[in-house]
């Protein structure tokens, strides 16, 4: 990682908050305004992140009470995790803005009535994952709770709303697919966008089928890419890697990546197989539990995309395990 705290321009500072996964860091952006600071996606809550934020506040010249609001592109722990830490430490308790869908998902993942882990476990088993591997998912999922605690109190925002960030107003654009309720924020006069994990340079955002979530997330994700690919953007500030130009071109490249992956899957499905066997064929068998969860969700998202379009059919064996074939 180069310098973790870098100016993007005279108003915006990029803070690369460390992650204990192969992604290495998530980008937070601090936007200065006349009356205070807005933080976009403050990162995953770890001790290293707390230390980095103390340093970032000192170097940038603001304190916790100068934070006017925290804006979240989506509810994933690497973006959402520190929001509650900032909110509870500040004497002014700044609002934490997130979509309604994002708030509901955060509750179903880490709230008192958490049910996602068990539902994911049975989905993975039904899709051919062996019991030992599926068992390892449970502590892995529960392990996220301290990394997103304390939980923030959320103020809901939605598509089409003009959200104050620094001294400007950014148009919230609903871009579901990578995450249900994902929002990008576009500065329409300066053509700058905070694009969260919708469009990333160098790496492709994960698209996962999740229990109780979008029944065809890849379709939503591709629609979102087509839509944002029409926007005039001069500077994109993504959730991972570095700010970039060529936003529309990159959106098009990601669409083509998924078209190629769908084609590869159609070829592999010449014999019936479970999502888990297909996942091993696509991504290999050396993945950590964290990577395997993403790989499995991604494989399932592509399979339901094909099934929804009549390009794959499913059958269930006597044990209730689902297989796909052409
Ligand atoms: Zn994400
Ligand atoms: Zn992310």
């Amino acid at each position: 990682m180069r310098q973790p705290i870098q100016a993007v321009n005279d108003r915006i500072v990029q803070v690369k908050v460390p992650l204990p996964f192969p992604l290495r860091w998530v980008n937070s952006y601090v936007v200065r305004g006349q009356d205070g600071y807005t933080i976009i996606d403050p990162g995953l809550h770890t001790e290293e992140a707390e230390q980095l934020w103390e340093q970032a506040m000192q170097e940038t010249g603001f304190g916790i009470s100068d934070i006017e609001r925290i804006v979240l592109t989506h509810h994933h722990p690497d973006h959402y995790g520190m929001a509650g830490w900032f909110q509870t430490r500040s004497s002014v308790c700044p609002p934490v803005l997130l979509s309604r869908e994002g708030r509901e998902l955060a509750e179903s993942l880490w709230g008192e009535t958490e049910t996602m882990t068990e539902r994911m476990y049975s989905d993975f088993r039904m899709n051919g994952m062996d019991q030992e591997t599926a068992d390892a998912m449970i502590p892995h999922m529960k392990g996220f709770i301290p990394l997103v605690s304390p939980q923030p109190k959320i103020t809901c925002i939605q598509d089409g709303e003009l959200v104050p960030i620094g001294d400007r107003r950014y148009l919230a654009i609903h871009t579901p697919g990578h995450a249900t309720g994902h929002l990008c924020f576009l500065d329409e006069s300066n053509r700058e966008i905070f694009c969260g994990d919708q469009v990333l340079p160098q790496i492709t955002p994960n698209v996962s089928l999740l229990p109780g979530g979008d029944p065809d997330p890849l379709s939503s994700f591709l629609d979102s890419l087509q839509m944002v690919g029409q926007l005039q953007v001069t500077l994109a500030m993504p959730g991972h890697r570095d700010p970039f130009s060529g936003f529309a071109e990159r959106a098009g490249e990601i669409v083509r990546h998924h078209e190629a992956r769908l084609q590869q899957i159609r070829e592999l499905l010449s014999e019936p197989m479970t999502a888990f066997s297909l996942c091993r064929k696509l991504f290999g068998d050396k993945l950590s539990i964290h990577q395997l969860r993403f790989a499995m969700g991604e494989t399932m998202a592509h399979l339901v995309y094909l099934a929804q379009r009549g390009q794959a059919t499913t059958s269930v064996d006597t044990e209730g395990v689902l297989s796909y074939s052409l």
Side-chain angles (χ1 to χ4, degrees):
M1 191 188 330
R2 287 185 289 131
Q3 271 303 319
I5 304 163
Q6 285 179 17
V8 176
N9 56 32
D10 58 355
R11 297 178 304 115
I12 304 174
V13 172
Q14 173 190 8
V15 180
K16 298 177 170 186
V17 182
L19 295 175
F21 332 124
L23 268 176
R24 293 179 26 240
W25 83 83
V26 60
N27 290 322
S28 294
Y29 297 95
V30 177
V31 186
R32 186 170 43 80
Q34 247 169 5
D35 301 322
Y37 290 77
T38 302
I39 296 183
I40 317 275
D41 290 347
L44 187 76
H45 191 183
T46 62
E47 244 177 72
E48 295 74 28
E50 283 186 22
Q51 282 162 15
L52 180 64
W53 272 115
E54 298 290 1
Q55 187 193 339
M57 287 189 278
Q58 203 169 32
E59 280 185 22
T60 315
F62 69 99
I64 278 207
S65 304
D66 299 320
I67 299 169
E68 283 182 287
R69 68 188 69 77
I70 293 166
V71 177
L72 302 176
T73 57
H74 62 301
H75 69 283
H76 286 167
D78 50 336
H79 300 252
Y80 162 102
M82 287 211 79
W85 181 80
F86 278 108
Q87 196 180 45
T88 49
R89 278 173 38 119
S90 166
S91 55
V92 294
C93 191
V96 173
L97 312 181
L98 175 66
S99 66
R100 184 180 47 77
E101 296 92 330
R103 182 180 72 176
E104 283 166 9
L105 281 160
E107 275 164 15
S108 79
L109 279 159
W110 314 296
E112 309 259 297
T113 53
E114 189 270 314
T115 52
M116 184 71 97
T117 306
E118 282 69 26
R119 287 185 293 160
M120 183 183 284
Y121 177 89
S122 26
D123 271 16
F124 282 177
R125 288 286 288 142
M126 195 179 84
N127 278 282
M129 187 179 279
D130 60 275
Q131 187 169 349
E132 194 186 335
T133 310
D135 283 348
M137 289 288 165
I138 294 178
H140 164 69
M141 290 295 287
K142 306 252 187 227
F144 278 99
I145 295 175
L147 304 174
V148 296
S149 298
Q151 304 265 341
K153 192 173 159 339
I154 300 290
T155 304
C156 293
I157 48 173
Q158 59 181 354
D159 181 59
E161 215 169 294
L162 287 172
V163 177
I165 295 177
D167 292 332
R168 296 181 182 169
R169 289 182 176 265
Y170 286 68
L171 177 67
I173 304 173
H174 185 216
T175 44
H178 167 75
T180 302
H182 187 287
L183 294 170
C184 293
F185 300 97
L186 175 69
D187 172 353
E188 291 179 285
S189 38
N190 297 281
R191 315 315 299 178
E192 290 173 4
I193 195 167
F194 293 104
C195 56
D197 287 352
Q198 174 61 38
V199 180
L200 298 175
Q202 294 119 27
I203 50 175
T204 52
N206 172 257
V207 180
S208 276
L209 182 73
L210 290 169
D214 188 333
D216 192 356
L218 181 58
S219 173
S220 306
F221 183 65
L222 294 174
D223 288 349
S224 295
L225 281 173
Q226 300 285 6
M227 193 251 298
V228 297
Q230 309 292 316
L231 301 172
Q232 296 287 330
V233 170
T234 51
L235 176 68
M237 287 169 278
H240 303 277
R241 305 300 170 107
D242 284 305
F244 64 105
S245 54
F247 181 74
E249 292 77 4
R250 182 61 190 150
E253 277 172 20
I254 300 172
V255 171
R256 289 192 292 283
H257 160 84
H258 288 287
E259 285 167 354
R261 166 81 13 111
L262 287 165
Q263 182 53 32
Q264 186 189 8
I265 292 176
R266 280 187 211 101
E267 285 160 19
L268 287 168
L269 283 188
S270 54
E271 51 177 306
M273 68 178 87
T274 64
F276 187 59
S277 312
L278 179 64
C279 175
R280 289 300 199 198
K281 281 203 193 303
L282 291 171
F283 299 99
D285 53 10
K286 293 191 171 58
L287 302 180
S288 66
I289 281 295
H290 178 82
Q291 292 167 315
L292 180 60
R293 176 166 62 89
F294 283 109
M296 188 67 181
E298 182 106 16
T299 306
M300 287 160 60
H302 284 77
L303 285 170
V304 297
Y305 181 92
L306 292 175
Q308 296 265 352
R309 280 151 193 81
Q311 297 175 21
T313 52
T314 53
S315 59
V316 181
D317 73 8
T318 48
E319 319 239 289
V321 174
L322 196 63
S323 288
Y324 288 82
S325 53
L326 277 190

